[in-house]
Each structure stands twice: as C-alpha cells, then as structure tokens.
Amino acid sequence: MTIRSSLLFAQRLIFPRADKASIARKSLAGAFLCIGISIVPLVVVLTVSNGMIYGMTERIIGLSSSHIEAALSRTSEHTTSAQRLELFAQQFEQVSGVTSAFPEANLSALAASSSFRMGVQLRAVLPAMFTDNASFASLFKIVEGRYDDFVAGSRTAIVGQHAAERLGLHAGDSFRIIAAAQSINDSIVPRTASLKVAAIISSGYQELDAAWLFVPLDTGFNIIRAGAGRYFVRIETADAFSAQLMRVQSYCADVAGFDADVYRWDELNRARYENFSSTKVMLVFIMLLIVLVASVNISSSLVMLVMEKRREIAIIKSIGGSQHGIALSFLVTGTVCGIGGVLVGLPLGLLCATNVNFIIKIIEKIVNAASKFLYLLSGRNAADFASITLMDPAYYLTEVPVLIPLRDLAVIVVSTILLSLAVSVIPAYKAGREKPLETLRKV
C-alpha cells in the first residue's frame, strides 16, 4: 500500500463521496469544532496576559526603577545639593550603552489639602524628566493642567490622579507638604512647604502611581531634610531587555565607585516580575488542558470511525492494503482534524484578542445594566448605584496593550497539531490491526 493510496483513503474518510449518515463523522466534526473553540480562549489569554505583563513591566521599568538604578549613600557628598546630584548623574551619560541619566531625590511625606490628608511619595526630579525621558513622555497622560508651569525653582507639583482625587485637588489648587521633622535646640519641628498643582497625571496603572507627587529637583532639596531622603540616578539604555545590560551595569558601577550601589531593573523588581511570569504560565497551562480535553475527542471519534469502517478496512487489506498504510490513513485523518481546528480557532482568537478592549467595554456595559436592573428591582435608589469597572485601575491597566506573541502562537499551533497526531496513534494502530477474515465473516 503506497503513501498516495493511504492519503486517498484518508481523504475518503474525511470527505466521503456519498451522502450517508455517519455518527462517527459527526463526532469527528464535533472534535474539530471543540479544538477550534478551545484555541480561541487560549490565544486571547496568551495575548492579553502578554500585553498586560508588558504594559505593567514597561511602566515599572520606565517610571519607577529605570533600566539601571544607582542608589547613593545618604552620607555621600553628591547628596548635599541639587547641583551636585545633577553633576554626578551627568557622569553616567559618558558610559557606553547609556542613553540618558536623571537625578532624583524622594521621601515619604504627608500631603494636606483643605479637605483631606494622605501619605505620598515625594519625588524630586528635573523638570526635563517629563519631556526628555522617553518613558515619562509616552506613558504619563496629562489629566489636568500642563507641564509649562513645572520649572526649576518653582513651588509647583505634578500630582498622580488617584492622590489628586483623594485630596480633592485640581490644576491650579494649592496644598501643603509636611516632610520629615528636623531637630532644632532638641525640639522636633516638621518641615512644611506650600505647593501649587501644575498638572495631574496618570500612567494608567494606579497600583504604581497612586501616591506619586513630583516637585522640581531644587525645590525638593529645600523640602527634604539633609540625610532624610533617598537619592538616585535613573539610568536609561537603548533596551531594558538587552543581553548587554549587565555589561552596562558593570561600567556604571565603576563610575559610581563607593558613592552608590548600582542595580538592574530585574534585580529591583525580581519578585513582581516572577509573579507576572508565573501567573501567565499558570493561565496558559489551564488553557492548554482545555485543548488537551478537546484533542481527546479526536481519539474517541477515530475509534468510532474505525468501528464504522471495519468492512472497508477489511476489503482494502484483502486486496493488498498493509497494516501501516491503514494506520497512516487514520493518523492523517486525526492530524487534519487538529489542523482544521487550528485554522478556525487561531483567526477567531486573534480577532477577539485585537478587539479585547472593545469586548471588555461591551461586557462592562452588560454587567452594569444587569446589576442596575437588579439594584432597582430590590427597591433601592438609582442615585446610590455604583458602576462596576472590570479593569479596575487599582489592580490592572486601564487599557490592555495588544501585543501579539507570534513565537508563543507558533508553539501553540505546533503543539496542537502534534497533540492531535499523538491522540490518533492508538485508534490508528487498532485500525491497522483489524483482521479482514474475521470482519468479512461477520458481515
């Protein structure tokens, strides 16, 4: 039995010429649809989790730790003034592989408005940070106000959206900062400063920027008591994921000497990044189990098809068909079923993934409409109803970045096809072992 004849028999099994009712073929079509349907959520979960992890990681790297962070000792002479810290940061710009370096001083402080008080993370940065730093310029969105008033020497501040909402602040409003206390004649005197809101910003990831409050670097040094704050140089490179990042870190450490400890972003955020990755792996594993269950349907469908085609198998064997040729026909049938499922599920999955933000908004509207209906049905006041937000900014990005993981999708396609081939082995082997004399005698 040649390969061509085996393929022709497989074609007959998949696309029969006669319109004859067949439970086995209906089962095989169902298995094909099950694989297609199971691939859709797998592609969506993989794409969404990949985009979410990328979006969160991009903000953590770009807005918090930078690619490389040089943490200065509080006793270093470079922390005594804004000018010294800025000059120290400029030294790193001469390092091969470094694209920019920005000085920063920060401190935990208390922000007080006329209506509320809350703890904030006071970050003193150069005003140019918001325009010259690619991550700040692209990832921060201005909600109110503008950057024009945020200049060196000014008593202005750029406030995170969540902090501004809690403090009841808007662009142009004034508030007070109460920083770490200083000792004067053995008495504790808190250091306070009055600031004006230049702009209100959001990164779209509230867990990261909920309590951030930015002031110009020289203004920050007037607020932060000497030795009380923390001092950094945020160092940017061409690519945070480059294999050369460790080498750049080593060069930066040589420049920093004993004044600062130099860390990569993955060292500073190891636990969080590993948590993101493990969550993605777990989600993909669960989705793969669904594909595995769907693939098992191919095996059961082929078993039914073997039982249904015992007479044809016996005739083919009696005229010279080989065991391996028959087995190959059923292996091809099962594999084609898996390929068909991929061809249906993959485009549908990509279609859903690329429109995931639109789909989330639709689901959100449906959920809110149903919830409001039940709320009103219980006799409560409509004005007291609180809308449900599926993408809660306290935990997630407000919008999912769509990032198609082509390499991961290729692995899914290959894995699904190989899985379909694997579950077809046993039914194909049994089909090849059919004994034609016994089968024809029973007919």
Side-chain angles (χ1 to χ4, degrees), residues 66 89 93 100-104 126 128-129 132-134 232-236:
S66 291
E93 295 181 348
S100 60
F102 297 92
E104 178 181 328
L126 293 174
M129 187 87 162
D132 296 349
N133 183 296
F232 306 96
V233 176
R234 309 293 188 187
I235 302 168
E236 298 286 316

PDB file of all heavy atoms in Angstrom, residues 66 89 93 100-104 126 128-129 132-134 232-236:
ATOM      1  N   SER A  66      13.709  52.637  36.329  1.00  0.00           N
ATOM      2  CA  SER A  66      14.528  52.825  35.124  1.00  0.00           C
ATOM      3  C   SER A  66      15.273  51.523  34.809  1.00  0.00           C
ATOM      4  O   SER A  66      15.162  50.538  35.531  1.00  0.00           O
ATOM      5  CB  SER A  66      15.505  53.981  35.276  1.00  0.00           C
ATOM      6  OG  SER A  66      14.790  55.212  35.297  1.00  0.00           O
ATOM      7  N   ALA A  89      25.017  62.702  38.155  1.00  0.00           N
ATOM      8  CA  ALA A  89      24.229  61.957  37.166  1.00  0.00           C
ATOM      9  C   ALA A  89      24.819  62.111  35.768  1.00  0.00           C
ATOM     10  O   ALA A  89      24.812  61.168  34.972  1.00  0.00           O
ATOM     11  CB  ALA A  89      22.781  62.437  37.188  1.00  0.00           C
ATOM     12  N   GLU A  93      26.278  59.533  31.762  1.00  0.00           N
ATOM     13  CA  GLU A  93      25.937  59.707  30.354  1.00  0.00           C
ATOM     14  C   GLU A  93      27.136  59.474  29.439  1.00  0.00           C
ATOM     15  O   GLU A  93      26.972  59.332  28.227  1.00  0.00           O
ATOM     16  CB  GLU A  93      25.354  61.105  30.134  1.00  0.00           C
ATOM     17  CG  GLU A  93      24.012  61.313  30.849  1.00  0.00           C
ATOM     18  CD  GLU A  93      23.431  62.693  30.606  1.00  0.00           C
ATOM     19  OE1 GLU A  93      24.174  63.567  30.081  1.00  0.00           O
ATOM     20  OE2 GLU A  93      22.245  62.903  30.938  1.00  0.00           O
ATOM     21  N   SER A 100      20.753  58.130  28.658  1.00  0.00           N
ATOM     22  CA  SER A 100      20.471  59.297  29.491  1.00  0.00           C
ATOM     23  C   SER A 100      20.520  58.898  30.954  1.00  0.00           C
ATOM     24  O   SER A 100      20.412  57.706  31.293  1.00  0.00           O
ATOM     25  CB  SER A 100      19.099  59.898  29.154  1.00  0.00           C
ATOM     26  OG  SER A 100      18.077  58.939  29.364  1.00  0.00           O
ATOM     27  N   ALA A 101      20.697  59.897  31.815  1.00  0.00           N
ATOM     28  CA  ALA A 101      20.729  59.665  33.267  1.00  0.00           C
ATOM     29  C   ALA A 101      20.063  60.853  33.951  1.00  0.00           C
ATOM     30  O   ALA A 101      20.376  62.007  33.647  1.00  0.00           O
ATOM     31  CB  ALA A 101      22.164  59.497  33.753  1.00  0.00           C
ATOM     32  N   PHE A 102      19.136  60.567  34.857  1.00  0.00           N
ATOM     33  CA  PHE A 102      18.377  61.619  35.524  1.00  0.00           C
ATOM     34  C   PHE A 102      18.496  61.479  37.038  1.00  0.00           C
ATOM     35  O   PHE A 102      18.260  60.387  37.580  1.00  0.00           O
ATOM     36  CB  PHE A 102      16.901  61.542  35.130  1.00  0.00           C
ATOM     37  CG  PHE A 102      16.648  61.780  33.669  1.00  0.00           C
ATOM     38  CD1 PHE A 102      16.601  60.709  32.781  1.00  0.00           C
ATOM     39  CD2 PHE A 102      16.461  63.058  33.179  1.00  0.00           C
ATOM     40  CE1 PHE A 102      16.362  60.914  31.432  1.00  0.00           C
ATOM     41  CE2 PHE A 102      16.223  63.273  31.827  1.00  0.00           C
ATOM     42  CZ  PHE A 102      16.174  62.205  30.948  1.00  0.00           C
ATOM     43  N   PRO A 103      18.847  62.570  37.738  1.00  0.00           N
ATOM     44  CA  PRO A 103      18.934  62.520  39.205  1.00  0.00           C
ATOM     45  C   PRO A 103      17.545  62.583  39.838  1.00  0.00           C
ATOM     46  O   PRO A 103      16.607  63.137  39.245  1.00  0.00           O
ATOM     47  CB  PRO A 103      19.743  63.777  39.538  1.00  0.00           C
ATOM     48  CG  PRO A 103      19.407  64.733  38.433  1.00  0.00           C
ATOM     49  CD  PRO A 103      19.220  63.895  37.209  1.00  0.00           C
ATOM     50  N   GLU A 104      17.423  62.000  41.011  1.00  0.00           N
ATOM     51  CA  GLU A 104      16.142  62.034  41.737  1.00  0.00           C
ATOM     52  C   GLU A 104      16.384  61.914  43.229  1.00  0.00           C
ATOM     53  O   GLU A 104      17.258  61.162  43.664  1.00  0.00           O
ATOM     54  CB  GLU A 104      15.225  60.903  41.268  1.00  0.00           C
ATOM     55  CG  GLU A 104      13.898  60.860  42.022  1.00  0.00           C
ATOM     56  CD  GLU A 104      12.980  59.726  41.583  1.00  0.00           C
ATOM     57  OE1 GLU A 104      13.027  59.358  40.392  1.00  0.00           O
ATOM     58  OE2 GLU A 104      12.234  59.206  42.440  1.00  0.00           O
ATOM     59  N   LEU A 126      14.223  66.536  37.814  1.00  0.00           N
ATOM     60  CA  LEU A 126      14.420  67.655  36.898  1.00  0.00           C
ATOM     61  C   LEU A 126      13.152  67.853  36.074  1.00  0.00           C
ATOM     62  O   LEU A 126      12.543  66.875  35.623  1.00  0.00           O
ATOM     63  CB  LEU A 126      15.600  67.388  35.973  1.00  0.00           C
ATOM     64  CG  LEU A 126      16.993  67.345  36.608  1.00  0.00           C
ATOM     65  CD1 LEU A 126      18.029  66.926  35.568  1.00  0.00           C
ATOM     66  CD2 LEU A 126      17.365  68.700  37.204  1.00  0.00           C
ATOM     67  N   ALA A 128      12.870  68.592  33.117  1.00  0.00           N
ATOM     68  CA  ALA A 128      13.075  67.998  31.788  1.00  0.00           C
ATOM     69  C   ALA A 128      12.744  66.513  31.758  1.00  0.00           C
ATOM     70  O   ALA A 128      12.630  65.920  30.670  1.00  0.00           O
ATOM     71  CB  ALA A 128      14.524  68.211  31.351  1.00  0.00           C
ATOM     72  N   MET A 129      12.604  65.901  32.917  1.00  0.00           N
ATOM     73  CA  MET A 129      12.303  64.467  33.004  1.00  0.00           C
ATOM     74  C   MET A 129      11.023  64.136  32.231  1.00  0.00           C
ATOM     75  O   MET A 129      10.924  63.101  31.580  1.00  0.00           O
ATOM     76  CB  MET A 129      12.143  64.070  34.476  1.00  0.00           C
ATOM     77  CG  MET A 129      11.995  62.598  34.731  1.00  0.00           C
ATOM     78  SD  MET A 129      13.593  61.801  34.890  1.00  0.00           S
ATOM     79  CE  MET A 129      13.140  60.275  35.717  1.00  0.00           C
ATOM     80  N   ASP A 132      12.130  64.935  28.231  1.00  0.00           N
ATOM     81  CA  ASP A 132      13.325  64.312  27.650  1.00  0.00           C
ATOM     82  C   ASP A 132      13.402  62.813  27.911  1.00  0.00           C
ATOM     83  O   ASP A 132      14.072  62.091  27.177  1.00  0.00           O
ATOM     84  CB  ASP A 132      14.594  64.979  28.205  1.00  0.00           C
ATOM     85  CG  ASP A 132      14.688  66.438  27.793  1.00  0.00           C
ATOM     86  OD1 ASP A 132      13.902  66.855  26.917  1.00  0.00           O
ATOM     87  OD2 ASP A 132      15.541  67.169  28.338  1.00  0.00           O
ATOM     88  N   ASN A 133      12.739  62.351  28.968  1.00  0.00           N
ATOM     89  CA  ASN A 133      12.719  60.923  29.255  1.00  0.00           C
ATOM     90  C   ASN A 133      11.603  60.279  28.428  1.00  0.00           C
ATOM     91  O   ASN A 133      10.427  60.633  28.559  1.00  0.00           O
ATOM     92  CB  ASN A 133      12.489  60.679  30.749  1.00  0.00           C
ATOM     93  CG  ASN A 133      12.536  59.214  31.115  1.00  0.00           C
ATOM     94  OD1 ASN A 133      11.712  58.425  30.686  1.00  0.00           O
ATOM     95  ND2 ASN A 133      13.502  58.844  31.936  1.00  0.00           N
ATOM     96  N   ALA A 134      11.977  59.335  27.562  1.00  0.00           N
ATOM     97  CA  ALA A 134      11.015  58.738  26.631  1.00  0.00           C
ATOM     98  C   ALA A 134       9.851  58.063  27.348  1.00  0.00           C
ATOM     99  O   ALA A 134       8.697  58.174  26.924  1.00  0.00           O
ATOM    100  CB  ALA A 134      11.723  57.732  25.729  1.00  0.00           C
ATOM    101  N   PHE A 232      18.872  58.979  44.058  1.00  0.00           N
ATOM    102  CA  PHE A 232      19.095  58.031  42.986  1.00  0.00           C
ATOM    103  C   PHE A 232      19.554  58.728  41.722  1.00  0.00           C
ATOM    104  O   PHE A 232      19.350  59.935  41.547  1.00  0.00           O
ATOM    105  CB  PHE A 232      17.812  57.262  42.649  1.00  0.00           C
ATOM    106  CG  PHE A 232      17.163  56.577  43.818  1.00  0.00           C
ATOM    107  CD1 PHE A 232      16.123  57.186  44.500  1.00  0.00           C
ATOM    108  CD2 PHE A 232      17.591  55.326  44.230  1.00  0.00           C
ATOM    109  CE1 PHE A 232      15.518  56.560  45.572  1.00  0.00           C
ATOM    110  CE2 PHE A 232      16.995  54.692  45.301  1.00  0.00           C
ATOM    111  CZ  PHE A 232      15.959  55.308  45.980  1.00  0.00           C
ATOM    112  N   VAL A 233      20.117  57.922  40.827  1.00  0.00           N
ATOM    113  CA  VAL A 233      20.306  58.331  39.439  1.00  0.00           C
ATOM    114  C   VAL A 233      19.618  57.268  38.594  1.00  0.00           C
ATOM    115  O   VAL A 233      19.951  56.085  38.683  1.00  0.00           O
ATOM    116  CB  VAL A 233      21.801  58.444  39.061  1.00  0.00           C
ATOM    117  CG1 VAL A 233      21.922  58.773  37.578  1.00  0.00           C
ATOM    118  CG2 VAL A 233      22.494  59.501  39.893  1.00  0.00           C
ATOM    119  N   ARG A 234      18.611  57.706  37.821  1.00  0.00           N
ATOM    120  CA  ARG A 234      17.867  56.796  36.950  1.00  0.00           C
ATOM    121  C   ARG A 234      18.570  56.739  35.603  1.00  0.00           C
ATOM    122  O   ARG A 234      18.646  57.740  34.892  1.00  0.00           O
ATOM    123  CB  ARG A 234      16.430  57.283  36.766  1.00  0.00           C
ATOM    124  CG  ARG A 234      15.694  57.605  38.062  1.00  0.00           C
ATOM    125  CD  ARG A 234      15.440  56.388  38.893  1.00  0.00           C
ATOM    126  NE  ARG A 234      14.570  56.676  40.039  1.00  0.00           N
ATOM    127  CZ  ARG A 234      14.297  55.838  40.997  1.00  0.00           C
ATOM    128  NH1 ARG A 234      14.844  54.613  40.961  1.00  0.00           N
ATOM    129  NH2 ARG A 234      13.510  56.157  42.001  1.00  0.00           N
ATOM    130  N   ILE A 235      19.096  55.564  35.257  1.00  0.00           N
ATOM    131  CA  ILE A 235      19.929  55.423  34.064  1.00  0.00           C
ATOM    132  C   ILE A 235      19.156  54.668  32.982  1.00  0.00           C
ATOM    133  O   ILE A 235      18.641  53.575  33.225  1.00  0.00           O
ATOM    134  CB  ILE A 235      21.239  54.683  34.409  1.00  0.00           C
ATOM    135  CG1 ILE A 235      22.002  55.451  35.500  1.00  0.00           C
ATOM    136  CG2 ILE A 235      22.109  54.507  33.173  1.00  0.00           C
ATOM    137  CD1 ILE A 235      23.145  54.665  36.113  1.00  0.00           C
ATOM    138  N   GLU A 236      19.075  55.271  31.794  1.00  0.00           N
ATOM    139  CA  GLU A 236      18.365  54.676  30.665  1.00  0.00           C
ATOM    140  C   GLU A 236      19.356  54.114  29.649  1.00  0.00           C
ATOM    141  O   GLU A 236      20.421  54.697  29.413  1.00  0.00           O
ATOM    142  CB  GLU A 236      17.483  55.732  29.987  1.00  0.00           C
ATOM    143  CG  GLU A 236      16.400  56.311  30.876  1.00  0.00           C
ATOM    144  CD  GLU A 236      15.266  55.343  31.104  1.00  0.00           C
ATOM    145  OE1 GLU A 236      14.821  54.702  30.130  1.00  0.00           O
ATOM    146  OE2 GLU A 236      14.829  55.209  32.263  1.00  0.00           O
TER     147      GLU A 236
END
